[in-house]
Amino acid sequence: MTSTRDQRVIADEAIAPQRETPFDLKAYLTARQVQVEAALDASVPMSYPETVYEAMRYSLLAGGKRLRPILCLATCELAGGTSEMAMPTACALEMIHTMSLIHDDLPAMDNDDYRRGKLTNHKVYGEDVAILAGDGLLAYSFEYIASQTRNVPAERVLQVVTQVARAVGAAGLVGGQVVDLESEGRSDVSIETLNYIHTHKTAALLEASVVSGAVLAGASAELQQSLSRYAQNIGLAFQIVDDILDITATQEELGKSVGKDLQAQKVTYPSLWGIEESQRQAAQLIESAKAELDATNPNAQPLLAIADYIVARTH
Ligand code: GRG
């Protein structure tokens, strides 16, 4: 049996940049997921009123790839910071992502029964509590960044709060969701509208995850801009792949209902371009994303490998 200390050493080795051996993304993601799960579990302890805390924890700890927190930790390290500096923001980003999934699954929006392989929040707790659990996570995410970030100058924390809030509101996720809802059932949705929806609904939070890590580490404006372009490109590629998987993957693979886009008569990238061209466009975006990084920097390895993983993923 391996001791806790041994497990920590194995995890540290997977996270540390490797100069000679090829980068092992699977081991890196697993080690990071272990760290993030523990931090998330500790971030929202049970409290009174239990109903809402239980509902918040139910969705927050329901699994998921933890891509947004991992990106935030990786960019903080790329820019010379530590994962400790970024962990509260990383957790907050997952709280925001989770609340957006809870609200997205509500009957008034996508009306989904399954998420991350489990019943959706409103199916378990009812719509009223699910709405409030989402609201609770959203408010707490900002409190958490502001109150828990350590060893980072206050003006950087303020910059992160401002940037994350912008990515979440009507200029970001909320705006993307509104245009998405308005486009449902319409066959005349243009590629520009589709790009607007997904740069706001999906790419904005990925971009905030990447750039906030860099800001916390005190990255130069130039590095922040390169990382922002990296994130916009992986964000759009991520959504194109999401649309493809909605057609090609199974419910078991995705942990949520599949074929929903077709059912809701949604215009998607594959419906405009076909699957093959969508795959080509996603691959091109990933190449553009990787071109923003300095491939000779060992700390860029996680971001390079995550970009490749985004087009290759099956869930
Ligand atoms: C944020 C204030 C606020 C309100 C929410 C409902 C809504 C407004 C926005 C919808 C945002 C949404 C659900 C976008 C889809 C993003 C997306 C591609 C989700 C899937 O992400 P994965 O694959 O999921 O990373 P896991 O489960 O692995 O975390």
Side-chain angles (χ1 to χ4, degrees):
M1 228 177 77
T2 46
S3 69
T4 312
R5 194 184 158 280
D6 289 343
Q7 282 172 347
R8 218 177 303 127
V9 170
I10 294 166
D12 286 349
E13 277 169 4
I15 288 165
Q18 303 139 25
R19 281 165 200 279
E20 280 89 33
T21 47
F23 183 70
D24 184 347
L25 180 67
K26 196 161 179 278
Y28 177 84
L29 292 179
T30 306
R32 278 293 191 218
Q33 277 153 1
V34 169
Q35 276 187 327
V36 170
E37 290 304 327
L40 285 173
D41 192 7
S43 70
V44 186
M46 276 302 291
S47 187
Y48 178 82
E50 283 86 3
T51 322
V52 77
Y53 281 97
E54 194 187 312
M56 286 158 73
R57 284 177 58 83
Y58 172 81
S59 290
L60 188 65
L61 304 176
K65 295 181 284 296
R66 309 309 194 192
L67 193 57
R68 292 149 192 85
I70 292 173
L71 283 169
C72 178
L73 299 173
T75 49
C76 188
E77 289 179 342
L78 168 71
T82 64
S83 58
E84 288 76 21
M85 291 161 80
M87 192 56 95
T89 301
C91 289
L93 289 159
E94 190 65 25
M95 290 176 205
I96 293 168
H97 171 55
T98 300
M99 76 72 55
S100 80
L101 300 179
I102 296 174
H103 283 196
D104 190 55
D105 290 336
L106 286 167
M109 302 226 193
D110 269 9
N111 193 18
D112 272 303
D113 291 352
Y114 288 95
R115 173 69 72 176
R116 293 172 163 171
K118 297 174 76 171
L119 282 172
T120 44
N121 200 288
H122 66 273
K123 281 277 156 193
V124 178
Y125 299 99
E127 280 180 55
D128 45 5
V129 174
I131 292 169
L132 293 166
D135 294 344
L137 282 169
L138 182 60
Y140 189 56
S141 66
F142 289 102
E143 178 188 337
Y144 203 68
I145 298 175
S147 68
Q148 298 302 313
T149 305
R150 303 273 180 266
N151 303 320
V152 178
E155 61 271 24
R156 288 188 205 161
V157 180
L158 192 59
Q159 203 183 327
V160 164
V161 168
T162 308
Q163 182 193 37
V164 173
R166 190 175 164 75
V168 168
L173 263 80
V174 169
Q177 180 76 349
V178 167
V179 179
D180 193 12
L181 292 172
E182 286 172 353
S183 304
E184 221 167 273
R186 294 178 59 153
S187 54
D188 59 347
V189 177
S190 65
I191 188 70
E192 288 76 22
T193 303
L194 197 60
N195 284 340
Y196 177 91
I197 293 170
H198 297 305
T199 50
H200 291 75
K201 236 184 101 164
T202 302
L205 194 59
L206 290 168
E207 187 185 354
S209 306
V210 165
V211 179
S212 61
V215 169
L216 289 165
S220 67
E222 198 191 346
L223 180 56
Q224 285 181 38
Q225 278 152 18
S226 298
L227 288 171
S228 160
R229 288 190 294 269
Y230 161 88
Q232 285 166 10
N233 284 317
I234 63 162
L236 214 47
F238 187 88
Q239 186 59 50
I240 296 175
V241 173
D242 225 53
D243 285 358
I244 297 172
L245 290 175
D246 189 62
I247 301 170
T248 58
T250 62
Q251 175 159 346
E252 289 67 41
E253 281 171 318
L254 295 192
K256 62 176 185 180
S257 323
V258 291
K260 291 279 296 184
D261 294 339
L262 210 64
Q263 217 176 54
Q265 292 180 299
K266 270 192 180 179
V267 170
T268 63
Y269 290 103
S271 80
L272 286 183
W273 292 334
I275 291 187
E276 220 168 281
E277 176 61 13
S278 300
Q279 277 163 338
R280 208 185 61 77
Q281 296 273 351
Q284 209 166 50
L285 286 164
I286 291 303
E287 286 317 307
S288 306
K290 287 163 64 180
E292 296 292 343
L293 303 172
D294 171 10
T296 61
N297 177 354
N299 278 329
Q301 284 179 337
L303 295 187
L304 288 164
I306 287 172
D308 284 329
Y309 159 78
I310 280 171
V311 268
R313 74 195 172 99
T314 53
H315 63 283

